[in-house]
Amino acid sequence: MAAPCRRMAGRSLLQFLSSFSRTSVSNSGFRQFSGTSVCRGSRQAQYVEEIASSPWTLMAAVCLQRLPVISAECNPIEQQFRDMMIQMELEKSMLSDHELRLLDDAERIRRIQAGEYDSDEEEDRRDQEIVLAQDLEDSWEQKLKNFQPAARVSDSEGDPGSLQRRLSDSLLLLVERPVGREKLWMLPQTEWQRGETLRETAERALSSLPAASGFKATFLGNTPCGVYKYKLPRAARTESSVGTKVFFFKAVLSDAGASPTTESPESSLLWVTKSELQRYVKPAYLMKVERFLLGF
């Protein structure tokens, strides 16, 4: 029994000394460099080189949305619910100051007609012009009759190139770009350049449009919301160029700025609703875009 106990005592002493030496080294004030932090920069540089040498061309596109300017028309169920809520609020609400004033004026007129009114009550108001609540209502009614609300349908309703169409709907920006031998409508996009992030590429895709030079957009995050990949025709493929990967970023139009007076054919653009997309874009492209247009 003595030998095993001797071995256990020696082992515990060695473990204690080794742990003490590690603690003293770690608390000696010297910074411990990890291999991960040292190699992180080289790994990023290697990753950028792999992307640059990839046979896929990387592009970033911006899905620019113009939010509704006016509220949409209520459907029958929404209208019934609205009327019910107005009726409930009317039944449960307290009288407003104007309604209390109407009752006060009616009581004063009743007392005057009945000969019960004391003129001394108006001593402090003799030098002031007395305006009854009913007179105020009449003036308000006249202002309401003279008020002309703005039209809900603009003159540019049928012009897909106008930003002032379909004011109660959300609109998407489409641009026309040459692809091969044909011109296609798509979201604004441009090719990624070394040294910039994909979001910066998407911002450059929007700012480089001559017809959208005054646009100010708020980008919703730094991560792409979708991707579209397509291969070049077999006759056009090479070892260094197989196809293109397009990464989409969502943005909201915050300021349209001053629209240009003239537009070149190369910078033509459209503002379309989600239901109108199928008229302009390819089905495969539309399938990828519709995936991140939830609640649009």
Side-chain angles (χ1 to χ4, degrees):
M1 293 294 293
C5 291
R6 232 182 262 117
R7 285 197 299 269
M8 293 177 62
R11 187 178 304 166
S12 60
L13 179 61
L14 291 175
Q15 290 176 354
F16 172 78
L17 291 176
S18 62
S19 63
F20 177 79
S21 63
R22 287 196 301 268
T23 305
S24 61
V25 171
S26 61
N27 295 332
S28 60
F30 294 99
R31 177 175 296 176
Q32 302 295 323
F33 292 95
S34 64
T36 304
S37 59
V38 173
C39 299
R40 185 175 300 165
S42 61
R43 288 180 181 178
Q44 291 180 350
Q46 182 181 1
Y47 181 67
V48 172
E49 290 296 333
E50 291 177 359
I51 294 177
S53 60
S54 172
W56 292 91
T57 301
L58 299 185
M59 306 190 76
V62 53
C63 177
L64 184 62
Q65 177 184 1
R66 190 219 67 183
L67 298 177
V69 180
I70 59 177
S71 59
E73 293 284 355
C74 296
N75 58 41
I77 296 180
E78 292 173 341
Q79 186 63 38
Q80 292 178 9
F81 181 78
R82 177 178 176 272
D83 295 341
M84 182 187 68
M85 295 301 296
I86 292 176
Q87 184 64 28
M88 290 176 60
E89 182 179 1
L90 179 62
E91 294 175 356
K92 297 181 179 181
S93 62
M94 300 179 66
L95 295 178
S96 64
D97 292 342
H98 179 70
E99 291 172 323
L100 292 174
R101 184 175 176 181
L102 280 174
L103 295 176
D104 188 35
D105 290 345
E107 177 63 19
R108 186 182 297 111
I109 293 174
R110 186 195 66 78
R111 292 170 59 190
I112 292 176
Q113 293 175 351
E116 302 173 356
Y117 186 73
D118 187 1
S119 60
D120 294 339
E121 299 178 6
E122 298 292 335
E123 286 291 337
D124 299 335
R125 301 176 59 184
R126 285 183 177 179
D127 297 336
Q128 301 178 3
E129 182 181 0
I130 300 177
V131 180
L132 298 179
Q134 188 61 46
D135 297 335
L136 289 176
E137 282 195 7
D138 295 339
S139 63
W140 295 340
E141 288 287 345
Q142 187 62 35
K143 289 182 179 179
L144 180 60
K145 291 180 181 179
N146 296 333
F147 175 74
Q148 295 294 333
R152 293 180 60 88
V153 179
S154 65
D155 298 335
S156 306
E157 191 71 18
D159 181 14
S162 173
L163 187 59
Q164 304 303 322
R165 65 184 297 261
R166 304 293 292 267
L167 299 179
S168 60
D169 298 324
S170 293
L171 299 180
L172 280 180
L173 176 63
L174 294 181
V175 296
E176 192 177 30
R177 287 289 179 264
V179 178
R181 298 181 179 180
E182 58 180 343
K183 290 187 176 181
L184 300 177
W185 290 100
M186 62 185 65
L187 301 177
Q189 66 181 36
T190 190
E191 187 173 350
W192 171 80
Q193 294 180 356
R194 183 178 300 187
E196 65 181 6
T197 63
L198 283 174
R199 168 170 169 169
E200 291 173 345
T201 306
E203 292 174 349
R204 182 166 55 83
L206 182 61
S207 61
S208 62
L209 294 176
S213 57
F215 288 178
K216 294 182 180 179
T218 302
F219 279 74
L220 307 181
N222 300 320
T223 307
C225 58
V227 62
Y228 173 63
K229 180 176 69 173
Y230 63 90
K231 290 185 177 181
L232 298 174
R234 292 185 179 274
R237 293 182 199 172
T238 61
E239 293 184 358
S240 60
S241 179
V242 175
T244 302
K245 294 180 181 180
V246 184
F247 296 89
F248 300 103
F249 288 81
K250 295 189 71 172
V252 175
L253 181 67
S254 54
D255 186 8
S259 57
T261 55
T262 59
E263 294 183 4
S264 62
E266 295 181 356
S267 62
S268 57
L269 53 83
L270 297 178
W271 291 98
V272 299
T273 62
K274 181 179 179 180
S275 59
E276 295 172 340
L277 280 175
Q278 57 184 354
R279 305 181 191 174
Y280 301 98
V281 302
K282 295 289 186 180
Y285 189 85
L286 176 62
M287 182 180 65
K288 298 295 184 180
V289 172
E290 284 184 331
R291 290 183 177 180
F292 55 83
L293 294 182
L294 300 176
F296 186 82

